[in-house]
Amino acid sequence: MHFSIIEKVILAGLTLASLGSFGYEVFRRVAIVNKGTGSFPFDRIPERLFRVFREVFLHEKVIRERPFPGLMHALVFWGFLVFGLVTIDHFAIGFYKPIMSESAHHAYSYIVIPFAILVIFGIVSLAYRRFITRPKALGGMSPTSGLVAVFIVVLMGTYIYGETGLSPLVWKINWWVHSVIILAFMYLIPRSKHLHLVLGPFNIFFRSFSQPDHTPVHIDLEGDEDELDAMLNDLTKLTKNQALDIFSCVECGRCTDVCPANRGGGILDPKHHFIMDLRQPLLDGKDVSVLDQINIEAGWECTTCQACTEVCPVGNHVEKSDEIRRLEVLVEGRVPQEYQKLFTNLQETGNTEGASSSPFADSFPVFTADKEYVLWLGCFARHGLDPNFNKSVENFTKILDVAGVTYGVLAEEQCSGDPANRLGDKLTYTMLREHNLEQLSETKKVVTLCPHCALNLGKEYSQYDQINYTVEHHTQVIGRLIDEGKIKVKMGESGKVTYHDPCNLSRMLDIVDEPRTAIKAASSDFQEMDESGRNTLCCGAGGALWWKKETKGRTHLVRAEQVIESGADTVVTGCNFCFGMMKQGLGPMTPEGREEVIVKDVADIVAENLVYDL
Amino acid sequence: MKIAVLVKQVPSSESMLPLSSDQTWIDEGQVSFVMNPPDSFAIEEALLLREKIGEGEVVIVSMGPERVKKTIKEGLAKGADRGIHLEEEGKIETDPLSNSKSFSSVLKEENFDLILTGLQSDDTGMGQTGVLLGELLGMSTATLAMETEVQGDSIRVKRELESGWFQWVKLPLPASISIQSGLNTPRYPSLKGIMGAKRKEIKCVSSAEHRSGAQTQFMEKVFVPQTSKQTEVIEGDADTAVARIIEILKSDIKVL
Ligand code: HEM
Ligand code: SF4
Ligand code: SF4
């Protein structure tokens, strides 16, 4: 096929304009991202590449959460991959000559044409969903989405039409239509959510392996005031990774769909409050100092459960309550009254309740160097936030006793700092952390029943200081004792049993199997809840919401409702806060005439079914 | 506008309160002390007034042993400009009049336009110091302010009365006003405030300098209320039981 010089000039002009504009818009955003604090991670590259393979090429997360639309999108995506070569060849024809031989082109079309049909099917389904079904999560009308859908259909159509042996004139018109649409698409991509197809793979590559992932706040009250000013100033800035998130978001609304605060009727909408609300300010200000734009009320509602982060298909760390809360606390001094009380308690007494002693803690042996584990109780157990939980702690020590594992509590244990940390009071957190690290300086092994303590003593403290001990959650210890045959457990009579995964355990510490090992050893009738493992739903107590006085929503009841609907007789959990929250929620939610679901800790169900005569 | 806020340090509400061996006060050794919660509303009101007027000085004034410096610093960290510490090792909880005399001797030459106090202290709840001090300094006084509004050289105050009634009064400045809890949302000391507070002045006045005359009120005895249970089992048939219950309600509990 011959292209005249005029045609080539026009083609070159259009291509330059389209690519130039594409490049400019992408560059503009990358330049802003580059102003972010911190740096992009380049460690663990094989793992990162493998993750890109699973999440980009296999579309693992895109499909898992929304199977049908996810699959439809996969068709579009895979189709585009196949089309890569076709597109290069397409422009090569216009500028010079085809890079594929006639026969290769023909042979390849046997692959491409079926894909083109699948792409049409996929994009029409996506458009149907967006414009006819209109799920709330996708947001309002989006003309660009409509335009892109039409573009893609016409692209596929013109490709197939072009393969049907047209007369030269019709072929050429068809060719030009195809070209112009590709170039128009290029123009559109960086200006819309469709930028995800460029940034998504990079964003998934750079995503942190650990969540929650917030820049630690180092506070030195004795230090230089200018340094402090600089540090406070940085608190409004996004990191590079966070800035990339904002431009990668595809506005799918999965994060909001899974958000417990949103599901419970709160105002928090992570898609908007933590991501989209920051996009325009980034572009307008050409800078990353935008964290103060986050809706404050929404920020206080977050349970910090990380469901949003877990589910995001383009690899965003969605949750930013830490960022807005630390600004409110450290810079503005605007703190809800109940939390001020909590902070004062923590500062004055080292525990959340302001208690001057703990008779419960005194009932355990004190840790000495000859003992294997420090049994870390946490404020919840020490100060009876739910006195029923005392029994669970005793059940755990019973298991340790039977297995011959030695342990003791620390007399000077203070709050791990989880509530202060999550509420943004990094100063109080610093005080508690420094105190506890001193107490633990000679310790090798810590075990605790509180996942919040486990997370803080381990992963969170080590962001600040070197720690010389290991932290285990009691379900890990119990699971191991069972596996190693150190304790024997018989099938018990707990009826239908289900397990509620605590967010801190499953998503943040990746402890999913061990509690199940323990429960299944003690129950033959175990059933998973619909939302389980890393996709669990928060009980509503996380992010120090346990201490929040008024909540508009009913975040704390949604999970309890699910437990009742699951038909279980017993719900087992592995977190003191979940335990307390379940107990509070299940009572009022239980319908007339039904037995209230019994709440147990993993330690309870195991201890109740221990076989002693080994 | 020069505003003084009288602040007291009290045992935290969660603290255990063991009695001292002579039973005239508590054993302070085991108690954790915090800023008297109602006073934080007075500080907030002072800071808001200063912000609204756009100039002025807020001074935190407190009395007590060395430990009250912490409470003064908390006020400074919230944004007050300086502090005055009236040192006093003795028992100050019992005697609002002598305390007010001490305050007036120290605050006299400061010529404050406004003195704010919390509604009362959470330990003994006397609620008098602010009013007494106002009188001693020849200021106008009002209690239980729900809203304040400075107008030139006077201040309008919405006072809370009984059973949901309110009253607006206009006082000429200088004035001493006690602030009802809950009228504003006290702020939390920001990190910058905490750092800045270190450089702010706290003037110390020794007990010998501010005390004049002897105490006028003393604590006789403090004790934990005794609870006792009195159970009466009423026997006999329904009529006798009802008759007895009515008698109890009438003569013992006196609700009929
Ligand atoms: C050539 C590559 C790609 C193309 C052509 C493409 C195209 C599209 C289109 C047309 C939409 C519909 C937007 C709307 O309805 O408003 C969409 C949505 C979406 N894309 Fe892509 N995309 C590509 C790559 C990716 C990648 C790499 C990912 C992530 C791994 C991804 C994740 C998504 C998600 C999650 C949605 C939202 C739809 C839903 O809720 O399921 N896309 N994409
Ligand atoms: S962390 Fe949990 S509560 Fe917070 S925005 Fe994400 S999903 Fe919602
Ligand atoms: S942040 Fe992620 S999950 Fe949320 S709307 Fe954007 S792409 Fe979807």
Side-chain angles (χ1 to χ4, degrees):
Chain A
M1 184 62 55
H2 177 74
F3 280 78
S4 69
I5 196 80
I6 297 178
E7 280 178 303
K8 286 186 181 176
V9 169
I10 294 174
L11 181 61
L14 288 178
T15 309
L16 268 178
S18 165
L19 285 184
S21 143
F22 174 86
Y24 171 74
E25 290 295 328
V26 171
F27 175 78
R28 199 154 79 93
R29 286 162 177 79
V30 170
I32 296 170
V33 168
N34 233 331
K35 290 186 184 169
T37 58
S39 50
F40 282 115
F42 285 97
D43 58 335
R44 300 161 78 174
I45 288 189
E47 272 172 273
R48 290 183 188 278
L49 288 175
F50 184 55
R51 191 165 66 184
V52 169
F53 174 74
R54 281 185 6 223
E55 294 183 15
V56 177
F57 290 95
L58 301 184
H59 259 42
E60 189 182 277
K61 276 197 187 181
V62 183
I63 297 175
R64 192 204 305 148
E65 204 61 28
R66 291 184 181 160
F68 183 70
L71 192 63
M72 292 303 106
H73 182 279
L75 296 181
V76 175
F77 174 71
W78 291 327
F80 265 66
L81 294 186
V82 171
F83 255 86
L85 193 55
V86 173
T87 305
I88 294 170
D89 197 43
H90 179 91
F91 281 97
I93 293 173
F95 280 117
Y96 181 49
K97 61 174 186 169
I99 51 170
M100 279 200 266
S101 69
E102 190 86 10
S103 55
H105 184 104
H106 190 65
Y108 194 45
S109 73
Y110 281 101
I111 303 174
V112 183
I113 290 175
F115 263 106
I117 293 167
L118 290 176
V119 169
I120 293 177
F121 184 65
I123 192 70
V124 168
S125 308
L126 286 182
Y128 184 84
R129 182 159 173 274
R130 173 167 276 283
F131 293 102
I132 313 288
T133 332
R134 275 196 264 172
K136 212 172 114 248
L138 290 183
M141 269 300 158
S142 164
T144 8
S145 290
L147 198 56
V148 165
V150 171
F151 279 5
I152 293 178
V153 171
V154 177
L155 275 183
M156 298 302 122
T158 47
Y159 169 76
I160 298 171
Y161 191 45
E163 296 300 310
T164 53
L166 303 171
S167 70
L169 179 67
V170 178
W171 185 91
K172 195 168 253 178
I173 295 172
N174 189 53
W175 186 95
W176 272 105
V177 172
H178 193 89
S179 307
V180 168
I181 286 186
I182 289 180
L183 296 175
F185 196 24
M186 291 291 277
Y187 172 86
L188 217 57
I189 286 172
R191 291 173 170 76
S192 65
K193 59 173 164 276
H194 294 94
L195 188 55
H196 78 277
L197 63 93
V198 181
L199 299 184
F202 293 98
N203 203 36
I204 288 171
F205 179 85
F206 288 129
R207 188 176 86 220
S208 166
F209 284 106
S210 138
Q211 42 174 278
D213 182 30
H214 301 290
T215 318
V217 182
H218 295 274
I219 300 173
D220 178 11
L221 280 185
E222 308 307 319
D224 183 59
E225 211 158 323
D226 291 339
E227 266 168 37
L228 183 93
D229 279 348
M231 186 278 280
L232 290 177
N233 202 25
D234 277 355
L235 291 184
T236 56
K237 291 185 186 157
L238 294 169
T239 62
K240 290 191 172 60
N241 229 336
Q242 287 174 325
L244 184 62
D245 287 350
I246 310 292
F247 292 124
S248 304
C249 171
V250 63
E251 304 173 24
C252 69
R254 282 169 170 77
C255 47
T256 299
D257 270 356
V258 296
C259 172
N262 190 278
R263 292 164 74 174
I267 63 154
L268 171 57
D269 176 347
K271 163 177 162 183
H272 286 102
H273 293 132
F274 292 155
I275 302 286
M276 303 257 293
D277 283 2
L278 307 182
R279 194 180 276 177
Q280 207 50 45
L282 272 180
L283 287 169
D284 291 345
K286 298 188 179 58
D287 189 50
V288 290
S289 289
V290 294
L291 283 169
D292 51 355
Q293 305 283 323
I294 295 175
N295 182 305
I296 295 159
E297 201 190 332
W300 287 117
E301 277 185 8
C302 173
T303 74
T304 70
C305 72
Q306 304 307 325
C308 49
T309 301
E310 177 69 25
V311 84
C312 178
V314 299
N316 288 352
H317 188 299
V318 183
E319 179 261 316
K320 285 185 192 57
S321 62
D322 204 274
E323 281 74 8
I324 184 64
R325 290 175 183 180
R326 53 168 85 165
L327 269 176
E328 283 296 287
V329 177
L330 301 178
V331 179
E332 304 294 340
R334 276 190 300 242
V335 180
Q337 298 302 305
E338 60 262 39
Y339 293 150
Q340 294 198 22
K341 173 94 192 128
L342 177 65
F343 296 161
T344 310
N345 284 345
L346 289 171
Q347 291 156 10
E348 294 302 321
T349 60
N351 66 73
T352 56
E353 307 309 295
S356 39
S357 65
S358 165
F360 183 65
D362 296 341
S363 71
F364 295 98
V366 174
F367 179 76
T368 45
D370 56 323
K371 300 197 166 102
E372 184 175 356
Y373 280 103
V374 163
L375 173 62
W376 187 274
L377 291 171
C379 297
F380 195 99
R382 280 181 94 88
H383 305 293
L385 272 61
D386 180 341
N388 295 306
F389 191 72
N390 290 5
K391 202 186 88 257
S392 309
V393 182
E394 285 158 2
N395 275 331
F396 177 55
T397 55
K398 193 160 110 189
I399 295 169
L400 292 180
D401 289 338
V402 169
V405 179
T406 52
Y407 59 88
V409 299
L410 290 178
E412 297 292 320
E413 174 192 315
Q414 291 195 347
C415 174
S416 69
D418 175 75
N421 191 14
R422 292 286 168 257
L423 290 171
D425 188 350
K426 307 289 176 176
L427 178 60
T428 303
Y429 185 57
T430 305
M431 288 167 47
L432 296 167
R433 192 182 66 239
E434 284 171 359
H435 170 91
N436 286 327
L437 280 173
E438 211 174 296
Q439 301 302 315
L440 289 165
S441 59
E442 301 296 316
T443 306
K444 301 254 167 346
K445 289 162 98 177
V446 179
V447 61
T448 178
L449 286 85
C450 177
H452 298 245
C453 293
L455 181 71
N456 277 278
L457 295 176
K459 265 164 71 168
E460 299 272 329
Y461 280 15
S462 52
Q463 288 201 53
Y464 292 87
D465 296 280
Q466 157 125 18
I467 60 171
N468 304 316
Y469 52 82
T470 57
V471 186
E472 280 180 286
H473 187 247
H474 74 304
T475 57
Q476 292 176 292
V477 174
I478 295 176
R480 198 175 51 239
L481 291 175
I482 293 175
D483 282 343
E484 292 173 353
K486 298 255 173 64
I487 53 171
K488 253 179 95 176
V489 186
K490 65 175 193 310
M491 291 295 168
E493 303 290 321
S494 304
K496 228 159 117 184
V497 176
T498 193
Y499 176 62
H500 161 72
D501 285 271
C503 318
N504 278 260
L505 213 53
S506 57
R507 275 193 282 268
M508 300 179 215
L509 292 167
D510 208 14
I511 300 172
V512 172
D513 297 333
E514 295 90 332
R516 289 179 166 74
T517 309
I519 297 169
K520 285 178 189 162
S523 162
S524 52
D525 192 1
F526 175 74
Q527 267 178 18
E528 291 286 0
M529 308 222 354
D530 285 343
E531 296 176 50
S532 63
R534 291 182 67 101
N535 291 315
T536 186
L537 172 65
C538 175
C539 70
L545 260 61
W546 176 271
W547 289 274
K548 190 165 180 173
K549 287 278 172 315
E550 286 159 39
T551 38
K552 282 211 196 75
R554 42 198 293 289
T555 306
H556 58 299
L557 295 179
V558 183
R559 187 57 165 177
E561 211 164 52
Q562 289 187 349
V563 169
I564 292 170
E565 277 162 17
S566 78
D569 302 303
T570 301
V571 58
V572 181
T573 183
C575 169
N576 31 209
F577 287 100
C578 298
F579 182 96
M581 217 58 182
M582 286 289 154
K583 276 219 181 270
Q584 283 177 24
L586 288 172
M589 300 299 297
T590 306
E592 196 98 19
R594 252 188 75 176
E595 287 281 322
E596 199 175 310
V597 182
I598 297 169
V599 185
K600 285 183 183 164
D601 186 85
V602 172
D604 297 329
I605 195 165
V606 171
E608 285 161 10
N609 298 299
L610 269 185
V611 182
Y612 291 92
D613 50 343
L614 284 178
Chain B
M1 163 122 345
K2 225 174 133 178
I3 309 173
V5 186
L6 259 51
V7 172
K8 190 173 183 182
Q9 199 181 44
V10 298
S12 86
S13 55
E14 281 83 11
S15 246
M16 295 220 296
L17 299 174
L19 300 184
S20 61
S21 51
D22 63 355
Q23 282 209 22
T24 59
W25 193 232
I26 52 170
D27 176 3
E28 296 191 347
Q30 303 178 41
V31 172
S32 77
F33 284 91
V34 296
M35 179 188 290
N36 177 40
D39 296 347
S40 62
F41 295 98
I43 296 183
E44 182 64 27
E45 198 62 16
L47 296 172
L48 289 174
L49 280 172
R50 189 189 64 188
E51 276 160 20
K52 203 158 152 198
I53 297 165
E55 51 89 31
E57 191 184 27
V58 174
V59 183
I60 305 289
V61 186
S62 189
M63 187 193 286
E66 189 57 25
R67 60 171 156 78
V68 309
K69 282 237 166 59
K70 189 157 167 252
T71 292
I72 298 177
K73 279 196 185 132
E74 192 179 328
L76 299 181
K78 287 181 176 205
D81 301 283
R82 63 188 166 93
I84 302 177
H85 177 195
L86 281 69
E87 292 168 347
E88 185 58 72
E89 290 299 328
K91 294 191 185 104
I92 60 163
E93 277 69 23
T94 43
D95 199 357
L97 184 58
S98 331
N99 292 343
S100 305
K101 284 181 183 159
S102 285
F103 281 124
S104 84
S105 76
V106 177
L107 302 189
K108 203 165 43 208
E109 66 260 33
E110 290 268 7
N111 290 318
F112 283 108
D113 300 302
L114 203 54
I115 295 178
L116 301 184
T117 62
L119 126 99
Q120 58 188 24
S121 61
D122 274 6
D123 50 4
T124 48
M126 304 239 181
Q128 298 175 30
T129 311
V131 185
L132 290 170
L133 174 60
E135 285 302 319
L136 291 170
L137 292 175
M139 297 173 136
S140 36
T141 59
T143 52
L144 283 174
M146 301 281 294
E147 214 176 309
T148 64
E149 199 183 309
V150 173
Q151 297 178 330
D153 52 7
S154 58
I155 181 165
R156 254 165 55 87
V157 174
K158 181 181 174 185
R159 296 189 57 235
E160 184 171 339
L161 305 178
E162 296 290 311
S163 40
W165 284 80
F166 301 104
Q167 171 196 39
W168 275 101
V169 289
K170 192 167 175 176
L171 313 173
L173 292 175
S176 173
I177 297 168
S178 79
I179 298 293
Q180 173 66 302
S181 296
L183 90 167
N184 53 35
T185 349
R187 68 195 66 188
Y188 187 70
S190 70
L191 203 50
K192 199 135 183 51
I194 295 169
M195 287 291 269
K198 289 201 241 168
R199 275 183 279 106
K200 292 177 181 169
E201 173 210 359
I202 300 180
K203 179 172 140 193
C204 299
V205 186
S206 72
S207 185
E209 286 171 85
H210 65 72
R211 276 282 162 207
S212 55
Q215 249 177 285
T216 51
Q217 270 182 53
F218 300 92
M219 195 74 81
E220 276 285 309
K221 183 178 176 209
V222 285
F223 53 90
V224 181
Q226 297 293 320
T227 50
S228 62
K229 236 197 259 171
Q230 286 176 339
T231 315
E232 180 182 331
V233 180
I234 303 168
E235 282 168 11
D237 60 14
D239 285 345
T240 3
V242 169
R244 175 71 190 127
I245 289 172
I246 290 175
E247 192 189 319
I248 294 172
L249 293 178
K250 262 191 186 148
S251 54
D252 292 4
I253 312 179
K254 299 195 176 68
V255 289
L256 285 184

